[in-house]
Amino acid sequence: MLKIPTALDVTPPLLAPLRRTSPEEPATTDSEPRKLKKRRKGRKSGENHSWENDSRSSRSSEKKQMRLFLIGGGSLLILIVTGVVFSMNGSRKPSEPVVREAPVVAPANKEPVNPGDPNQAPVSDVVFLAEAEPLAQKFLKATTVEELLPLVRNPETAENRMRRFYPDGKFKAAGLSQFNTSGELDLLGGFRAIRVMTGDFDEKSLVFTDTPGVLKVDWESWVGWSEVPWDEFLSSKPFEGKVFRVTLSPVDYYNFDFLDESKWQSYRLISPDKEHSIYGYAEKGSRLDQRLRPNADTKSVALMLSLKFPKGTSSNDQVEIEKIINEGWVEEENPK
């Protein structure tokens, strides 16, 4: 039962006073557990965090290892494939400077059984170059017709032409500054052409016969020989065809005896020394015109043409193209 206090009763305090500790006293046992608990909480939190990191790190490490394994395996595979391809390519003969290999190579210092026989296999390019360079040096060092004759093809025919081309039988040596400037060989039927640079730094093609052991130079294509000197041809205006080596390109020009552009197709003809430029005409649409026209991707072509003037013409630079003697400046057949 509740007792109502009287005035004489002493009432107990409702709150117990706090127990204080002096500053110099060591930490109480109440605070100690709190600190330990805090540290334990910290360790637990740290342990959980460390476990998550370790787990992620482990998984990351496994991924890295797998990635490295894949990269390493792929690299090894590439190396193996590269090695196989390299070994296969290494077993092949290099393509430079050799363009093709002949099945039979005649000794360079011996005459073939049938010189000039088209059925006889040509020399390999390596052997050819070894023979051609000293021959080119001799040819380009020559200063007389007598020095040239042993070096050229068809000397029995070339001699008469040389005598007319070099009236006194002497000339200035072209000289050889560099042999095979392009590093390539041009195959022209039974001939091979090499780019050389003369002593005057003029780069030209030097054509050789492709006969084993007896290489010769094609003198006519080197000098751009024509049946009649250009000055004489233009002044005398012959109406019979004469053979000329020219560089041909289509043009749109019609005059004098060739005014009718519906009948004629015009071409510019340039001499080998580039000293003369004239106009040549062929009947438009004819077979000759079709053969003369360069391909769409070719601006000009080298040809051997028979040229003549119309009878009674008053022009000295417009001629009729009678026929094509040869495509290119090298006569395939023995010259007559």
Side-chain angles (χ1 to χ4, degrees):
M1 294 181 60
L2 294 177
K3 178 181 180 183
I4 298 175
T6 62
L8 299 177
D9 293 332
V10 179
T11 304
L14 296 177
L15 294 175
L18 293 174
R19 183 175 57 181
R20 299 179 181 272
T21 58
S22 61
E24 61 275 10
E25 290 179 357
T28 62
T29 57
D30 291 337
S31 61
E32 187 69 22
R34 284 197 296 271
K35 291 182 181 179
L36 292 175
K37 184 176 182 181
K38 184 176 182 180
R39 284 198 296 269
R40 286 196 298 269
K41 181 176 181 181
R43 284 199 303 269
K44 183 176 182 181
S45 174
E47 289 171 359
N48 289 339
H49 179 70
S50 176
W51 178 87
E52 292 173 355
N53 283 346
D54 290 345
S55 177
R56 293 172 185 171
S57 176
S58 176
R59 289 194 296 270
S60 176
S61 176
E62 292 177 357
K63 292 181 179 179
K64 289 181 180 179
Q65 291 178 359
M66 181 62 69
R67 190 179 300 113
L68 290 174
F69 177 78
L70 293 175
I71 293 174
S75 301
L76 181 59
L77 179 60
I78 292 174
L79 288 175
I80 293 173
V81 173
T82 303
V84 172
V85 173
F86 180 78
S87 63
M88 293 175 64
N89 290 337
S91 63
R92 300 175 183 173
K93 295 183 178 180
S95 57
E96 294 184 357
V98 179
V99 178
R100 57 185 171 82
E101 284 291 341
V104 178
V105 178
N109 59 348
K110 294 184 179 180
E111 293 286 337
V113 177
N114 296 309
D117 185 352
N119 296 322
Q120 192 166 354
V123 298
S124 70
D125 292 321
V126 173
V127 174
F128 169 77
L129 290 172
E131 293 183 9
E133 186 168 4
L135 177 57
Q137 291 174 345
K138 291 180 181 180
F139 178 82
L140 297 175
K141 285 174 61 178
T143 57
T144 66
V145 171
E146 285 71 23
E147 291 177 340
L148 282 181
L149 286 175
L151 310 176
V152 302
R153 66 183 289 237
N154 301 310
E156 64 283 354
T157 302
E159 182 175 9
N160 184 44
R161 295 177 176 181
M162 288 181 183
R163 299 294 182 188
R164 285 184 288 158
F165 197 81
Y166 308 115
D168 59 358
K170 298 180 180 180
F171 49 90
K172 179 183 176 182
L176 179 62
S177 175
Q178 185 178 350
F179 180 78
N180 197 13
T181 57
S182 66
E184 299 177 352
L185 300 179
D186 293 325
L187 307 181
L188 309 170
F191 303 88
R192 305 193 199 193
I194 296 177
R195 300 290 292 180
V196 299
M197 185 175 291
T198 67
D200 294 333
F201 302 102
D202 183 18
E203 189 173 350
K204 298 174 61 176
S205 289
L206 187 59
V207 179
F208 300 82
T209 58
D210 198 12
T211 306
V214 287
L215 294 184
K216 300 292 182 179
V217 177
D218 186 68
W219 173 80
E220 286 85 353
S221 63
W222 173 256
V223 298
W225 181 86
S226 297
E227 188 175 357
V228 177
W230 280 81
D231 289 334
E232 179 182 334
F233 175 71
L234 298 179
S235 61
S236 62
K237 299 184 181 69
F239 52 85
E240 293 180 353
K242 302 296 180 181
V243 178
F244 290 86
R245 285 170 168 82
V246 302
T247 301
L248 175 146
S249 57
V251 292
D252 189 16
Y253 180 83
Y254 302 90
N255 208 340
F256 293 95
D257 300 276
F258 305 97
L259 277 172
D260 189 355
E261 58 185 279
S262 64
K263 179 180 178 180
W264 301 104
Q265 174 60 50
S266 61
Y267 295 94
R268 184 183 299 279
L269 309 177
I270 301 177
S271 64
D273 60 6
K274 300 179 177 60
E275 294 292 330
H276 300 89
S277 176
I278 63 176
Y279 297 97
Y281 297 85
E283 186 176 349
K284 182 169 288 186
S286 65
R287 187 171 184 273
L288 174 61
D289 181 28
Q290 295 173 359
R291 291 184 62 195
L292 288 170
R293 285 182 175 274
N295 296 329
D297 57 347
T298 304
K299 294 183 179 180
S300 61
V301 291
L303 299 170
M304 290 177 59
L305 303 176
S306 177
L307 307 176
K308 66 180 182 179
F309 279 88
K311 290 183 179 181
T313 184
S314 58
S315 171
N316 63 352
D317 65 349
Q318 298 186 56
V319 299
E320 181 180 350
I321 302 174
E322 184 179 43
K323 60 182 176 179
I324 297 176
I325 303 299
N326 197 69
E327 295 181 0
W329 288 2
V330 181
E331 296 173 273
E332 293 293 338
E333 301 294 333
N334 291 335
K336 298 179 181 180

